[in-house]
């Protein structure tokens, strides 16, 4: 059984786009509740919301913290997915207007989002700053974006190697690369999802290019993958040995069991070989 928790509007209605997508994906039941309280409801169960085995989905700092708390108690979770972030990695041949658009598209997620530009020159940094200011005037979520931009950064580094090293240490949720030999650069950086070339905006991955959109944040891309088909599967291993097969493995099993000081493990093989 698959259930979906999603916040309702001020009028108490769930967005029709979400209802349609849920029906398309075979969701069994929908509950109009979101945030940390939805995580708690799914982890422990309520009179109306059933307890689940695993919780999936993006979130903010509160949802992420709630998932981390219940993960050590009663339920499995997908990964740490907190405030959104993007790192845009460019050389001087790239477009400042494109860079600005990518930074702004991530900043509008929330006031605690972070957008980082890494570039090789102060001139490019200033051109991008100007483009950010111009494009911001055309956007509706200006207040949210300005809050996010206050904690965002432009980093100027004087060599390609330093730029790659910085990006890999940051391990961003979204990484946009518009540089010469961009695929070679991409192979050297840990990230949740990578967008290569000038025609690959992060919003394409959010909505249409087919990659997942629930990704590790806060440096977790160094250890975690984003949500994918594998995350929804449970893997069980099975084995059946013949007497001949066990005889072939028995020296290895006995040697390793005795090295670990687990004599009963070794005896479970010996008794069969005697029998």
């Amino acid at each position: 059984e698959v259930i979906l928790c999603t916040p309702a509007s001020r009028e108490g209605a769930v967005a029709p786009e979400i209802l349609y997508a849920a029906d398309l994906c075979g969701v069994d039941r929908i509950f109009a509740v979101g945030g940390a309280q939805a995580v708690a409801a799914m982890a422990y169960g309520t009179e109306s919301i059933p307890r689940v085995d695993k919780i999936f989905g993006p979130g903010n700092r509160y949802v992420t913290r709630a998932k981390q708390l219940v993960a050590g108690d009663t339920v499995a979770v997908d990964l740490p997915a907190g405030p959104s972030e993007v790192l845009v990695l460019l050389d001087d041949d790239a477009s400042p207007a494109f860079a600005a658009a990518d930074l702004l598209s991530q900043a509008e997620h929330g006031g605690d989002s972070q957008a980082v530009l890494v570039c090789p020159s102060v001139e490019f940094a200033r051109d991008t700053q100007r483009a950010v200011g111009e494009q911001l005037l055309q956007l509706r979520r200006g207040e949210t974006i300005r809050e996010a931009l206050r904690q965002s950064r432009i980093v100027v580094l004087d060599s390609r190697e330093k730029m790659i090293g910085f990006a890999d240490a940051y391990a961003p949720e979204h990484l946009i690369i518009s540089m010469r030999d961009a695929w070679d650069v991409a192979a050297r950086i840990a990230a949740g999802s990578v967008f290569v070339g000038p025609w690959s905006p992060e919003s394409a991955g959010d909505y249409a290019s087919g990659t997942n959109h629930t990704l590790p944040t806060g440096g977790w891309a160094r250890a975690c993958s984003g949500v994918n088909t594998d995350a929804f599967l449970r893997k069980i291993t099975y084995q059946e040995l013949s007497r001949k097969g066990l005889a072939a493995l028995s020296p290895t099993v006995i040697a390793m069991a005795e090295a670990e000081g687990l004599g009963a493990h070794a005896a479970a093989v010996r008794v069969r070989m005697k029998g």
Side-chain angles (χ1 to χ4, degrees):
E1 182 183 44
V2 178
I3 72 166
L4 171 67
C5 288
T6 181
S9 67
R10 288 184 176 87
E11 293 74 35
V14 173
E17 297 90 344
I18 290 177
L19 294 174
Y20 174 77
D23 181 63
L24 195 67
C25 295
V27 172
D28 298 293
R29 288 197 277 171
I30 301 174
F31 299 93
V33 57
Q37 56 269 37
V39 173
M42 289 187 283
Y44 301 111
T46 71
E47 291 181 359
S48 56
I49 300 176
R51 179 190 173 279
V52 302
D53 294 310
K54 191 169 184 179
I55 298 174
F56 298 85
N60 52 31
R61 67 178 77 176
Y62 307 106
V63 169
T64 296
R65 184 60 182 142
K67 285 164 69 175
Q68 289 172 331
L69 288 170
V70 300
D73 195 358
T74 64
V75 70
V77 301
D78 48 4
L79 70 148
S84 197
E85 60 198 27
V86 65
L87 189 146
V88 183
L89 192 62
L90 306 174
D91 55 27
D92 280 334
D93 293 332
S95 163
F98 288 10
D102 290 331
L103 296 169
L104 290 166
S105 70
Q106 204 60 33
E108 75 174 347
H109 272 295
D112 56 359
S113 297
Q114 187 173 52
V116 177
L117 170 66
V118 180
C119 62
S121 72
V122 172
E123 182 182 4
F124 189 95
R126 288 176 176 158
D127 289 343
T128 303
Q129 276 185 311
R130 280 193 290 271
V132 165
E134 293 166 0
Q135 294 180 29
L136 181 55
L137 297 175
Q138 311 301 317
L139 301 174
R140 288 185 299 173
R141 294 175 60 85
E143 185 177 341
T144 298
I145 292 170
R146 288 184 180 90
E147 186 179 349
L149 290 178
R150 280 193 285 270
Q151 60 191 11
S152 297
R153 298 289 183 270
I154 296 179
V155 180
V156 178
L157 295 169
D158 60 7
S159 78
R160 181 183 177 91
E161 290 303 310
K162 289 179 182 177
M163 293 170 65
I164 293 171
F166 181 93
D168 186 51
Y170 186 91
E173 177 190 18
H174 304 97
L175 171 64
I176 297 174
I177 304 173
S178 187
M179 302 175 70
R180 291 177 294 277
D181 301 318
W183 280 103
D184 293 335
V185 174
R188 299 173 58 187
I189 300 172
S193 191
V194 183
F195 301 81
V196 178
W199 308 110
S200 305
E202 180 267 333
S203 48
D206 286 0
Y207 298 120
S209 61
T211 58
N212 74 79
H213 184 41
T214 302
L215 300 164
T217 64
W220 282 103
R222 300 190 67 81
C224 298
S225 304
V227 169
N228 53 63
T229 307
D230 247 13
F232 293 86
L233 303 178
R234 181 182 63 248
K235 301 177 180 67
I236 305 173
T237 60
Y238 298 87
Q239 52 267 303
E240 180 182 4
L241 281 67
S242 64
R243 191 181 194 287
K244 182 179 178 181
L246 181 60
L249 294 180
S250 62
T252 299
V253 177
I254 291 169
M256 293 184 72
E258 290 182 341
E260 201 173 2
L262 299 177
H265 281 64
V269 174
R270 287 196 180 102
V271 71
R272 285 172 166 81
M273 292 298 94
K274 290 178 182 176

